[in-house]
Amino acid sequence: MPERSVWIVRGALVYLCAGVTLGTLLLVDKGLGIGSRIWLYRPLHVEFLFFGWMVQLVFGVASWILPSAPSRQSDLPLLAACAALNVGLWLAGWGAVGGATGVLFVGRVTEAVSVALFAAYVWPRVRAFARA
């Protein structure tokens, strides 16, 4: 596995751990009825698990498993897509936690831009199956 993919997958695993930790705290509060403010962080829990874990894992595995591009391709669009995904994730998460709809919107747009950058990166690598 290329080193860039390893680091992207490791980042996804960090988000998995953070999301599961927040989810565990939510369940503990639900079971014990402590009435803590942990429920304010539920949107961040969802962001970590969906965009941080699942989408970033897709970025890492797809960049590894898809065939090489016809011409040697730069990794800059992949790194830009991952950076935009992480920035958008944090903006959307904290915008939802803080009730700042403008920050939430900018975060969602940044996440969409990251998906578009990733699609542009992998598009030349997607080929039809060649039959012998």
Side-chain angles (χ1 to χ4, degrees):
M1 180 181 277
E3 192 170 346
R4 66 180 184 274
S5 297
V6 170
W7 282 105
I8 295 168
V9 170
R10 284 180 183 169
L13 290 171
V14 169
Y15 282 117
L16 174 66
C17 292
V20 167
T21 300
L22 278 173
T24 302
L25 293 173
L26 290 169
L27 282 175
V28 166
D29 181 59
K30 192 173 190 177
L32 298 179
I34 299 169
S36 67
R37 300 174 51 108
I38 191 68
W39 288 95
L40 295 174
Y41 297 101
R42 185 176 180 271
L44 195 58
H45 161 71
V46 173
E47 287 290 320
F48 282 173
L49 290 180
F50 183 69
F51 288 102
W53 161 241
M54 292 177 61
V55 174
Q56 189 158 317
L57 184 68
V58 167
F59 281 13
V61 172
S63 66
W64 164 52
I65 209 162
L66 286 173
S68 298
S71 62
R72 185 72 181 144
Q73 162 179 44
S74 171
D75 289 337
L76 190 60
L78 175 64
L79 299 176
C82 288
L85 178 69
N86 284 286
V87 168
L89 183 148
W90 283 97
L91 286 174
W94 287 112
V97 167
T101 56
V103 176
L104 175 63
F105 178 75
V106 169
R108 293 283 184 236
V109 169
T110 308
E111 289 169 346
V113 166
S114 75
V115 171
L117 285 171
F118 183 74
Y121 172 75
V122 298
W123 188 258
R125 301 171 72 177
V126 176
R127 296 182 264 200
F129 180 72
R131 295 188 179 167

mmCIF file of all heavy atoms in Angstrom, residues 19 40-42 50 86-88 93-94 100 111 113 122 126-127 129:
data_model
loop_
_atom_site.group_PDB
_atom_site.id
_atom_site.type_symbol
_atom_site.label_atom_id
_atom_site.label_comp_id
_atom_site.label_asym_id
_atom_site.label_seq_id
_atom_site.Cartn_x
_atom_site.Cartn_y
_atom_site.Cartn_z
ATOM 1 N N GLY A 19 -15.024 9.112 17.153
ATOM 2 C CA GLY A 19 -16.475 8.973 17.012
ATOM 3 C C GLY A 19 -17.049 7.929 17.939
ATOM 4 O O GLY A 19 -18.116 8.125 18.540
ATOM 5 N N LEU A 40 -24.786 17.874 23.288
ATOM 6 C CA LEU A 40 -24.473 18.973 22.371
ATOM 7 C C LEU A 40 -23.456 18.541 21.316
ATOM 8 O O LEU A 40 -23.376 19.136 20.243
ATOM 9 C CB LEU A 40 -23.918 20.171 23.151
ATOM 10 C CG LEU A 40 -24.879 20.841 24.130
ATOM 11 C CD1 LEU A 40 -24.147 21.911 24.923
ATOM 12 C CD2 LEU A 40 -26.065 21.432 23.393
ATOM 13 N N TYR A 41 -22.685 17.500 21.624
ATOM 14 C CA TYR A 41 -21.632 17.040 20.722
ATOM 15 C C TYR A 41 -22.082 15.912 19.798
ATOM 16 O O TYR A 41 -21.268 15.346 19.081
ATOM 17 C CB TYR A 41 -20.405 16.602 21.531
ATOM 18 C CG TYR A 41 -19.809 17.743 22.301
ATOM 19 C CD1 TYR A 41 -20.058 17.903 23.657
ATOM 20 C CD2 TYR A 41 -19.030 18.688 21.655
ATOM 21 C CE1 TYR A 41 -19.530 18.955 24.348
ATOM 22 C CE2 TYR A 41 -18.493 19.754 22.340
ATOM 23 C CZ TYR A 41 -18.745 19.884 23.692
ATOM 24 O OH TYR A 41 -18.227 20.940 24.377
ATOM 25 N N ARG A 42 -23.355 15.600 19.794
ATOM 26 C CA ARG A 42 -23.860 14.551 18.904
ATOM 27 C C ARG A 42 -23.589 14.845 17.426
ATOM 28 O O ARG A 42 -23.193 13.953 16.677
ATOM 29 C CB ARG A 42 -25.346 14.311 19.139
ATOM 30 C CG ARG A 42 -25.868 13.149 18.328
ATOM 31 C CD ARG A 42 -27.334 12.863 18.662
ATOM 32 N NE ARG A 42 -27.823 11.749 17.878
ATOM 33 C CZ ARG A 42 -28.374 11.868 16.679
ATOM 34 N NH1 ARG A 42 -28.513 13.062 16.136
ATOM 35 N NH2 ARG A 42 -28.794 10.814 16.020
ATOM 36 N N PHE A 50 -19.200 9.606 9.943
ATOM 37 C CA PHE A 50 -19.558 9.557 8.530
ATOM 38 C C PHE A 50 -18.448 10.103 7.640
ATOM 39 O O PHE A 50 -17.928 9.411 6.775
ATOM 40 C CB PHE A 50 -20.873 10.278 8.244
ATOM 41 C CG PHE A 50 -21.274 10.157 6.806
ATOM 42 C CD1 PHE A 50 -21.675 8.942 6.290
ATOM 43 C CD2 PHE A 50 -21.220 11.234 5.953
ATOM 44 C CE1 PHE A 50 -22.007 8.802 4.949
ATOM 45 C CE2 PHE A 50 -21.554 11.120 4.619
ATOM 46 C CZ PHE A 50 -21.953 9.904 4.112
ATOM 47 N N ASN A 86 -11.007 17.236 5.737
ATOM 48 C CA ASN A 86 -10.778 17.425 7.170
ATOM 49 C C ASN A 86 -11.172 18.824 7.643
ATOM 50 O O ASN A 86 -11.773 18.977 8.700
ATOM 51 C CB ASN A 86 -9.325 17.112 7.518
ATOM 52 C CG ASN A 86 -9.078 15.632 7.531
ATOM 53 O OD1 ASN A 86 -9.497 14.938 8.447
ATOM 54 N ND2 ASN A 86 -8.410 15.126 6.510
ATOM 55 N N VAL A 87 -10.855 19.836 6.846
ATOM 56 C CA VAL A 87 -11.263 21.199 7.208
ATOM 57 C C VAL A 87 -12.784 21.311 7.210
ATOM 58 O O VAL A 87 -13.386 21.861 8.142
ATOM 59 C CB VAL A 87 -10.630 22.234 6.243
ATOM 60 C CG1 VAL A 87 -11.259 23.608 6.416
ATOM 61 C CG2 VAL A 87 -9.125 22.299 6.461
ATOM 62 N N GLY A 88 -13.427 20.766 6.171
ATOM 63 C CA GLY A 88 -14.884 20.806 6.105
ATOM 64 C C GLY A 88 -15.540 20.037 7.224
ATOM 65 O O GLY A 88 -16.568 20.458 7.778
ATOM 66 N N GLY A 93 -18.804 20.232 11.798
ATOM 67 C CA GLY A 93 -19.041 19.692 13.133
ATOM 68 C C GLY A 93 -19.193 20.773 14.183
ATOM 69 O O GLY A 93 -20.158 20.786 14.955
ATOM 70 N N TRP A 94 -18.258 21.687 14.202
ATOM 71 C CA TRP A 94 -18.331 22.743 15.213
ATOM 72 C C TRP A 94 -19.402 23.775 14.875
ATOM 73 O O TRP A 94 -19.963 24.395 15.789
ATOM 74 C CB TRP A 94 -16.976 23.400 15.411
ATOM 75 C CG TRP A 94 -16.052 22.491 16.146
ATOM 76 C CD1 TRP A 94 -14.933 21.898 15.638
ATOM 77 C CD2 TRP A 94 -16.176 22.021 17.490
ATOM 78 N NE1 TRP A 94 -14.368 21.092 16.589
ATOM 79 C CE2 TRP A 94 -15.097 21.148 17.737
ATOM 80 C CE3 TRP A 94 -17.097 22.250 18.509
ATOM 81 C CZ2 TRP A 94 -14.910 20.509 18.959
ATOM 82 C CZ3 TRP A 94 -16.907 21.612 19.730
ATOM 83 C CH2 TRP A 94 -15.827 20.758 19.943
ATOM 84 N N ALA A 100 -23.914 27.684 14.614
ATOM 85 C CA ALA A 100 -23.510 28.685 13.627
ATOM 86 C C ALA A 100 -23.808 28.132 12.235
ATOM 87 O O ALA A 100 -23.022 27.372 11.674
ATOM 88 C CB ALA A 100 -22.036 29.021 13.776
ATOM 89 N N GLU A 111 -16.686 20.146 2.241
ATOM 90 C CA GLU A 111 -16.761 18.690 2.091
ATOM 91 C C GLU A 111 -17.147 18.298 0.668
ATOM 92 O O GLU A 111 -16.581 17.350 0.102
ATOM 93 C CB GLU A 111 -17.763 18.108 3.088
ATOM 94 C CG GLU A 111 -17.299 18.153 4.520
ATOM 95 C CD GLU A 111 -18.387 17.830 5.517
ATOM 96 O OE1 GLU A 111 -19.575 17.823 5.149
ATOM 97 O OE2 GLU A 111 -18.035 17.581 6.684
ATOM 98 N N VAL A 113 -16.570 20.078 -2.024
ATOM 99 C CA VAL A 113 -15.400 20.381 -2.856
ATOM 100 C C VAL A 113 -14.372 19.259 -2.734
ATOM 101 O O VAL A 113 -13.745 18.858 -3.730
ATOM 102 C CB VAL A 113 -14.788 21.743 -2.468
ATOM 103 C CG1 VAL A 113 -13.408 21.934 -3.052
ATOM 104 C CG2 VAL A 113 -15.712 22.874 -2.893
ATOM 105 N N VAL A 122 -9.408 10.544 -9.223
ATOM 106 C CA VAL A 122 -9.538 9.128 -9.577
ATOM 107 C C VAL A 122 -10.139 8.901 -10.963
ATOM 108 O O VAL A 122 -10.054 7.800 -11.489
ATOM 109 C CB VAL A 122 -10.350 8.329 -8.518
ATOM 110 C CG1 VAL A 122 -9.652 8.352 -7.190
ATOM 111 C CG2 VAL A 122 -11.774 8.797 -8.434
ATOM 112 N N VAL A 126 -10.109 5.223 -13.574
ATOM 113 C CA VAL A 126 -11.238 4.308 -13.734
ATOM 114 C C VAL A 126 -11.295 3.888 -15.190
ATOM 115 O O VAL A 126 -11.412 4.708 -16.089
ATOM 116 C CB VAL A 126 -12.560 4.991 -13.304
ATOM 117 C CG1 VAL A 126 -13.735 4.078 -13.553
ATOM 118 C CG2 VAL A 126 -12.488 5.411 -11.849
ATOM 119 N N ARG A 127 -11.207 2.582 -15.425
ATOM 120 C CA ARG A 127 -11.204 2.042 -16.784
ATOM 121 C C ARG A 127 -12.187 0.891 -16.878
ATOM 122 O O ARG A 127 -12.471 0.230 -15.875
ATOM 123 C CB ARG A 127 -9.817 1.536 -17.150
ATOM 124 C CG ARG A 127 -8.776 2.600 -17.199
ATOM 125 C CD ARG A 127 -7.469 2.021 -17.599
ATOM 126 N NE ARG A 127 -6.727 1.750 -16.370
ATOM 127 C CZ ARG A 127 -5.433 1.604 -16.319
ATOM 128 N NH1 ARG A 127 -4.731 1.655 -17.417
ATOM 129 N NH2 ARG A 127 -4.815 1.391 -15.188
ATOM 130 N N PHE A 129 -13.320 -2.841 -17.813
ATOM 131 C CA PHE A 129 -12.665 -4.139 -17.694
ATOM 132 C C PHE A 129 -12.320 -4.643 -19.091
ATOM 133 O O PHE A 129 -13.186 -4.724 -19.959
ATOM 134 C CB PHE A 129 -13.571 -5.117 -16.961
ATOM 135 C CG PHE A 129 -12.981 -6.477 -16.781
ATOM 136 C CD1 PHE A 129 -11.948 -6.674 -15.882
ATOM 137 C CD2 PHE A 129 -13.434 -7.552 -17.513
ATOM 138 C CE1 PHE A 129 -11.392 -7.910 -15.699
ATOM 139 C CE2 PHE A 129 -12.886 -8.803 -17.346
ATOM 140 C CZ PHE A 129 -11.856 -8.990 -16.438
#
